[in-house]
Amino acid sequence: QVQLQESGPGLVKPSENLSLTCTVSGGSISGYYWSWIRQPPGKGLEWIGFISYTGSTNYNPSLKSRVSISVDTSKNEFSLRLSSVTAADTAVYYCVRNSRLLPATFFDYWGQGTLVTVSS
Amino acid sequence: QSVLTQPPSVSGAPGQRVTISCTGSSSNIGAGYDVHWYQQLPGTAPKLLIHVTNNRPSGVPDRFSGSKSGTSASLAITGLQADDEAEYHCQAYDSRLGGLVFGGGTKLTVL
C-alpha cells in the first residue's frame, strides 16, 4: 500500500519561502507523476502542480511564477518550494500520487496533509 | 472562485437519495474531459470516490455513482447513511488553463 508523508515547517514568515518534502513509502516513485494540492482553511482544494519521476513539471498558471517542484528518486521523495509567501498561502498542503496522464489525471493516493501558517 | 461550481451544501435524511452537482464550461467538462469525485471526512485528507465519471475504486459502495451531461456532472448517493456526512469535491482538466481544477466543495449533512 502506497503511503505519502509530508514534512516541513508549520510556520513561515511573510515574504519567505515555503519548503515541504513528501516521502513515498510502500512503492517506488518511479513510473508515476506526483502532485501538490493545498486547501486554505474552510475553502476548497487547489492544485499547485505536478512532477514526473523524470523531473518534467506542470504548474498551476496562477502560482507558476512562485512554484518549484523537484524530485529525488534515490530518496523516493519529492519537494515543493513556494516563494514570497503571504497570508493567502496559509493552507493544509497535501502531496498526492497522480493516476493517468493528462487530461485524464486524477489523484489516487493522498498524504495526511500538513498545515502551513504564514505569519510573522 | 473555483473553475468548477458546486453548491456549498446539501442535506438529506438517512435512507434518502441526494445529488451534488458540478458545473463547468466548454473548456473542461463541456469539452468531454473526465470528471472525478473525492470524499473528505471531517479532519481527514480527501479520498478518491469516483474516477472517470462513474468508476468506483475497490471498497467504495455502489450507493455512490456519477454521471455527466453537457457542461455538468453529478454525484448521486443513495441509501444515505450517517457516515456519508463529509465534504465532496469534483475535479477535471481545463484546457484553457492547461491544468487540473477543482470545484469549491459541497458539505453533505445527514439530518
Side-chain angles (χ1 to χ4, degrees), chain A residues 35 37 39 43-47 50 58-61 94 98 100 102-108 110-113, chain B residues 2 33-34 36 38 40 44-48 51-52 87 89 91-93 97-105:
Chain A
S35 282
I37 291 169
Q39 184 173 32
K43 296 188 178 181
L45 300 167
E46 180 181 35
W47 171 72
F50 67 65
N58 187 325
Y59 300 135
N60 186 322
Y94 296 100
N98 293 16
R100 303 195 185 181
L102 287 178
T105 300
F106 56 92
F107 309 109
D108 58 358
W110 294 66
Q112 66 184 26
Chain B
S2 303
Y33 295 121
D34 297 322
H36 320 288
Y38 302 85
Q40 186 175 25
T44 70
K47 179 190 89 168
L48 180 64
H51 60 91
V52 190
E87 188 103 7
H89 307 270
Q91 176 248 314
Y93 173 78
L97 298 175
L100 301 161
V101 294
F102 285 94

Side-chain angles (χ1 to χ4, degrees), chain B residues 13-105:
Chain B
Q16 285 189 332
R17 177 182 187 270
V18 296
T19 61
I20 298 173
S21 62
C22 175
T23 302
S25 67
S26 59
S27 62
N28 42 69
I29 299 175
Y33 295 121
D34 297 322
V35 180
H36 320 288
W37 292 90
Y38 302 85
Q39 179 191 58
Q40 186 175 25
L41 297 171
T44 70
K47 179 190 89 168
L48 180 64
L49 188 68
I50 297 280
H51 60 91
V52 190
T53 302
N54 193 23
N55 291 273
R56 287 173 284 104
S58 173
V60 174
D62 60 6
R63 300 186 297 105
F64 295 89
S65 63
S67 62
K68 189 175 72 167
S69 178
T71 58
S72 293
S74 291
L75 172 71
I77 310 171
T78 59
L80 207 56
Q81 299 178 1
D83 57 7
D84 295 333
E85 194 161 281
E87 188 103 7
Y88 292 84
H89 307 270
C90 60
Q91 176 248 314
Y93 173 78
D94 188 282
S95 59
R96 184 177 62 84
L97 298 175
L100 301 161
V101 294
F102 285 94

Side-chain angles (χ1 to χ4, degrees), chain A residues 25-40:
Chain A
S25 59
S28 175
I29 206 167
S30 296
Y32 289 93
Y33 285 61
W34 306 86
S35 282
W36 287 96
I37 291 169
R38 70 180 183 179
Q39 184 173 32

Side-chain angles (χ1 to χ4, degrees), chain A:
Chain A
Q1 177 81 339
V2 174
Q3 293 185 312
L4 298 89
Q5 179 67 58
E6 305 89 352
S7 59
L11 180 64
V12 181
K13 289 182 168 53
S15 80
E16 294 189 345
N17 298 330
L18 178 160
S19 294
L20 296 173
T21 296
C22 181
T23 302
V24 179
S25 59
S28 175
I29 206 167
S30 296
Y32 289 93
Y33 285 61
W34 306 86
S35 282
W36 287 96
I37 291 169
R38 70 180 183 179
Q39 184 173 32
K43 296 188 178 181
L45 300 167
E46 180 181 35
W47 171 72
I48 298 171
F50 67 65
I51 190 166
S52 74
Y53 66 102
T54 59
S56 61
T57 56
N58 187 325
Y59 300 135
N60 186 322
S62 69
L63 297 169
K64 190 172 185 176
S65 63
R66 299 194 293 129
V67 171
S68 176
I69 299 177
S70 59
V71 65
D72 188 335
T73 54
S74 67
K75 295 182 178 180
N76 228 37
E77 61 185 35
F78 62 105
S79 298
L80 168 70
R81 183 174 177 271
L82 182 64
S83 64
S84 305
V85 298
T86 70
D89 295 309
T90 293
V92 175
Y93 286 76
Y94 296 100
C95 59
V96 301
R97 191 181 81 170
N98 293 16
S99 183
R100 303 195 185 181
L101 300 177
L102 287 178
T105 300
F106 56 92
F107 309 109
D108 58 358
Y109 288 95
W110 294 66
Q112 66 184 26
T114 187
L115 174 63
V116 178
T117 301
V118 178
S119 175
S120 54

